Coordinates of all heavy atoms in Angstrom, one line a residue:
G706 N 79.5 137.1 -31.8 CA 80.1 136.6 -33.1 C 79.7 135.1 -33.3 O 80.1 134.6 -34.3
Y707 N 79.0 134.4 -32.5 CA 78.7 133.0 -32.7 C 77.3 132.8 -33.2 O 76.3 133.5 -32.7 CB 78.9 132.1 -31.4 CG 80.3 132.2 -30.9 CD1 80.6 132.9 -29.8 CD2 81.3 131.5 -31.6 CE1 82.0 133.0 -29.3 CE2 82.7 131.5 -31.1 CZ 82.9 132.3 -30.0 OH 84.2 132.4 -29.6
D708 N 77.1 131.9 -34.0 CA 75.8 131.6 -34.6 C 74.9 130.9 -33.6 O 75.3 129.9 -33.0 CB 76.0 130.7 -35.9 CG 74.7 130.5 -36.6 OD1 73.8 129.6 -36.2 OD2 74.5 131.2 -37.7
I709 N 73.7 131.3 -33.4 CA 72.8 130.7 -32.3 C 72.4 129.3 -32.7 O 72.1 128.5 -31.8 CB 71.6 131.5 -32.1 CG1 70.7 131.8 -33.3 CG2 71.9 132.9 -31.4 CD1 69.3 132.3 -33.1
S710 N 72.4 129.0 -34.0 CA 71.9 127.6 -34.3 C 73.1 126.6 -34.3 O 72.8 125.4 -34.0 CB 71.4 127.6 -35.8 OG 70.3 128.5 -35.8
T711 N 74.3 127.0 -34.6 CA 75.4 126.0 -34.7 C 76.5 126.2 -33.6 O 77.3 125.3 -33.4 CB 76.1 126.1 -36.0 OG1 76.5 127.4 -36.2 CG2 75.1 125.8 -37.2
Q712 N 76.5 127.3 -32.9 CA 77.6 127.6 -31.9 C 77.0 128.0 -30.5 O 77.6 128.8 -29.9 CB 78.5 128.7 -32.5 CG 79.2 128.2 -33.8 CD 80.0 129.4 -34.4 OE1 79.4 130.4 -34.7 NE2 81.3 129.2 -34.5
S713 N 75.9 127.4 -30.2 CA 75.3 127.8 -28.9 C 76.2 127.4 -27.7 O 76.2 128.1 -26.7 CB 73.9 127.2 -28.7 OG 74.0 125.8 -28.8
H714 N 77.0 126.4 -27.8 CA 78.0 126.0 -26.8 C 78.9 127.2 -26.5 O 79.1 127.5 -25.3 CB 78.8 124.7 -27.2 CG 79.7 124.3 -26.2 ND1 79.4 123.7 -25.0 CD2 81.1 124.5 -26.2 CE1 80.6 123.5 -24.3 NE2 81.6 124.0 -25.0
Q715 N 79.5 127.8 -27.5 CA 80.4 128.9 -27.3 C 79.6 130.1 -26.7 O 80.2 130.8 -25.9 CB 81.1 129.4 -28.6 CG 82.1 128.4 -29.2 CD 81.5 127.3 -30.1 OE1 80.4 126.9 -29.9 NE2 82.3 126.9 -31.1
I716 N 78.4 130.3 -27.1 CA 77.6 131.4 -26.6 C 77.4 131.3 -25.1 O 77.7 132.2 -24.3 CB 76.2 131.5 -27.3 CG1 76.4 131.9 -28.8 CG2 75.4 132.5 -26.6 CD1 75.2 131.8 -29.6
R717 N 77.1 130.0 -24.7 CA 76.9 129.8 -23.3 C 78.2 129.9 -22.5 O 78.2 130.2 -21.3 CB 76.1 128.5 -23.1 CG 74.7 128.7 -23.5 CD 73.8 127.6 -23.0 NE 74.0 126.3 -23.5 CZ 73.5 125.8 -24.6 NH1 72.6 126.5 -25.3 NH2 73.7 124.6 -25.0

Side-chain angles (χ1 to χ4, degrees):
Y707 297 108
D708 186 285
I709 57 165
S710 298
T711 57
Q712 296 174 300
S713 58
H714 176 73
Q715 287 92 326
I716 293 172
R717 291 198 289 270

